[in-house]
Amino acid sequence: NDLSDLSAQSLAEHFGLSRNLISQYLNEAHNEGLVIKINTRPVYFLGKAELCERMKAEDLKSVYDSVEELMKDGAARKEKIVSFRKLVGHQESLKQCVEQCKAAITYPGIGLPILLQGQTGTGKSYIAQLTYEYSVEKGIIGKKGNFVTVNCAEYANNPELFLTNLFGYKKGSYTGAEKDKAGLLALADGGVLFLDEIHALKPECQEKIFLFMDKGIYHMVGDNETWHSAQVRLIFATTEDPQKVLLKTLLRRIPIVVQVPPLIDRSLQEKRELVHEIVTQESAKITRQVVFSELAYQTLVNHAYPGNVGELVNTIRASVAKAYLRDPAADPVELHLYDLPSFLLQSGTANGELMEYDDGKMIDTRQMMKQMAQLQKGGKMNMNALMGQKKGMNIPLNPRRRKW
């Protein structure tokens, strides 16, 4: 591709700034690891994160002598890392979350325990699953290592059952225990144990967990003499304030606390990407393309969802199901305003700004996302695409952070 727009001189002309000032910004960004430099004549500067994303490379060097060397190295570094790339916002609102999870799961030994904290429906379980997939892709966890999920809320009023299921039990340990049975720790040995809704556990259960975290060994229920060991990476999740619901002794053993933002704090562009991703999944299930009316689409993306991404998923599924039922043979399936749930209809009619949209004009989210991508990447590359948002720069920044 033509790189003529990516020299300091071209960028200076584009932004109406001096070449020296642009060079200063670019070199600062290069020193911070945000920009890759190609030492040709002229020197070219490319945003590292965006280039890694486009080349599907986990990492790239900071300096190359030619474009050919960059392409060759990028091809050699191309990895089959697809896990977190499936997560909408992994390079934006969820970037910090992803980096924390990567750091924790790759830490030498058995990694570092992770606590995912966020509102219901923000995607904590999905992030935990992707963290496990990432570790498998990187070879940190073998393919035989399991991802074991426990919903602790199911044991809120039965701590004995939780401990029995977690540690396993010996024959005769209680009425009905007719043979030894391994627990979830044994099942997760060599893999990941995800304890969701950890705040629901009684203090005595939390205490048993941090005792295991200290030594990596435990007793099965009914046998206080034999020690068993398990190499388990632990991921916890809670919707509550960890300081209020977790024992201090347990919390001190969890060095990585990941704050997963609510949907309302994420950009409208990410919300649209989520809608597109969910619709793509539903289209595959019904083997039909799904298109929206302009009004239905705007109503959907402009609504505030208290249940976050989870509520958005359920809303789209219900709407697609209703539109599909109306005409199962139709392809594409057309989703109109009257296919949306009643609470969305009420919010839509209350929003006078939405009335300018047409319920008869159909749009395809695939084409919309392509057009947005072209809009964001079209023309001369802006400074933020090159070096990320730099504080104190009075230069137009990343269009993906604008409120569309």
Side-chain angles (χ1 to χ4, degrees):
N1 294 334
D2 182 16
L3 300 181
S4 60
D5 291 337
L6 303 180
S7 67
Q9 182 62 45
S10 294
L11 289 165
E13 293 173 358
H14 176 66
F15 291 112
L17 299 171
S18 72
R19 183 184 182 283
N20 288 341
L21 183 58
I22 291 293
S23 293
Q24 178 186 335
Y25 287 145
L26 289 170
N27 283 302
E28 286 178 4
H30 178 260
N31 292 335
E32 293 173 12
L34 300 174
V35 167
I36 290 172
K37 181 188 293 187
I38 303 179
N39 280 327
T40 53
R41 296 289 183 182
V43 176
Y44 296 120
F45 299 87
L46 296 86
K48 185 174 183 179
E50 181 176 284
L51 194 59
C52 287
E53 179 73 11
R54 289 189 180 186
M55 299 183 75
K56 306 302 181 187
E58 185 67 11
D59 196 14
L60 291 168
K61 295 191 299 183
S62 61
V63 180
Y64 292 93
D65 291 330
S66 66
V67 175
E68 291 73 19
E69 182 188 356
L70 166 63
M71 298 304 292
K72 184 177 180 180
D73 186 52
R77 291 169 179 261
K78 188 173 183 179
E79 299 187 28
K80 297 178 180 179
I81 303 296
V82 298
S83 50
F84 284 115
R85 297 184 192 279
K86 297 185 290 187
L87 183 65
V88 173
H90 71 278
Q91 285 287 0
E92 296 181 16
S93 68
L94 300 181
K95 184 174 182 178
Q96 177 66 14
C97 298
V98 170
E99 292 303 315
Q100 286 180 285
C101 289
K102 285 182 177 180
I105 206 71
T106 58
Y107 198 78
I110 56 170
L112 296 174
I114 307 168
L115 175 62
L116 302 170
Q117 195 277 328
Q119 297 176 8
T120 299
T122 48
K124 299 184 297 297
S125 298
Y126 188 45
I127 290 174
Q129 172 71 38
L130 293 179
T131 302
Y132 163 74
E133 291 180 14
Y134 175 81
S135 66
V136 173
E137 291 170 344
K138 295 287 287 183
I140 299 165
I141 291 178
K143 293 184 178 180
K144 292 184 179 180
N146 296 315
F147 179 71
V148 180
T149 299
V150 182
N151 186 345
C152 298
E154 297 177 3
Y155 303 96
N157 298 315
N158 198 338
E160 294 82 8
L161 180 60
F162 172 78
L163 296 175
T164 300
N165 286 343
L166 182 66
F167 297 116
Y169 58 83
K170 297 294 288 184
K171 178 181 178 181
S173 58
Y174 64 90
T175 303
E178 299 179 352
K179 60 179 181 179
D180 295 356
K181 184 176 180 180
L184 296 173
L185 279 177
L187 181 61
D189 190 13
V192 172
L193 178 63
F194 174 47
L195 295 169
D196 198 7
E197 306 290 351
I198 184 68
H199 59 270
L201 291 182
K202 300 290 186 183
E204 58 264 37
C205 295
Q206 294 186 32
E207 183 177 0
K208 292 287 187 180
I209 291 172
F210 76 69
L211 288 174
F212 166 72
M213 293 170 70
D214 273 350
K215 303 292 184 179
I217 54 178
Y218 63 95
H219 290 300
M220 296 177 70
V221 174
D223 179 5
N224 292 326
E225 297 182 357
T226 306
W227 289 103
H228 300 268
S229 65
Q231 298 290 308
V232 177
R233 285 171 165 79
L234 292 168
I235 303 178
F236 306 95
T238 181
T239 57
E240 306 297 325
D241 181 352
Q243 299 292 338
K244 297 179 179 179
V245 296
L246 298 184
L247 294 178
K248 303 304 180 186
T249 46
L250 176 61
L251 195 55
R252 284 198 298 268
R253 288 162 175 79
I254 307 175
I256 306 293
V257 179
V258 179
Q259 299 292 334
V260 184
L263 185 57
I264 196 171
D265 288 345
R266 300 173 65 177
S267 70
L268 184 55
Q269 171 61 11
E270 281 190 17
K271 200 171 180 180
R272 287 176 170 173
E273 290 177 14
L274 282 166
V275 170
H276 171 70
E277 181 67 23
I278 299 164
V279 169
T280 299
Q281 294 173 7
E282 296 309 306
S283 295
K285 291 178 183 177
I286 64 175
T287 64
R288 300 282 192 281
Q289 182 185 351
V290 177
V291 295
F292 291 85
S293 76
E294 190 179 61
L295 179 57
Y297 179 79
Q298 294 297 335
T299 301
L300 191 68
V301 299
N302 281 282
H303 181 73
Y305 296 88
N308 297 293
V309 179
E311 184 179 357
L312 178 61
V313 171
N314 289 335
T315 298
I316 292 176
R317 283 178 177 171
S319 303
V320 171
K322 187 175 180 180
Y324 176 76
L325 180 63
R326 188 174 61 253
D327 188 357
D331 191 6
V333 172
E334 294 188 355
L335 198 154
H336 293 269
L337 186 66
Y338 45 77
D339 294 311
L340 302 181
S342 57
F343 69 88
L344 269 179
L345 296 179
Q346 295 168 4
S347 69
T349 53
N351 188 344
E353 295 180 2
L354 295 178
M355 291 302 101
E356 64 183 84
Y357 296 103
D358 188 353
D359 196 38
K361 181 180 179 181
M362 308 308 296
I363 57 176
D364 182 349
T365 60
R366 295 176 303 178
Q367 294 301 320
M368 177 177 290
M369 297 308 296
K370 287 179 181 179
Q371 291 170 1
M372 286 184 176
Q374 292 171 357
L375 177 63
Q376 293 162 18
K377 296 175 182 178
K380 295 190 175 184
M381 185 176 288
N382 58 47
M383 288 297 291
N384 192 64
L386 289 171
M387 62 176 65
Q389 234 170 350
K390 286 184 68 67
K391 295 180 180 179
M393 291 177 58
N394 295 318
I395 294 177
L397 298 176
N398 192 348
R400 297 189 70 163
R401 295 210 183 262
R402 296 175 185 161
K403 297 297 183 180
W404 290 88

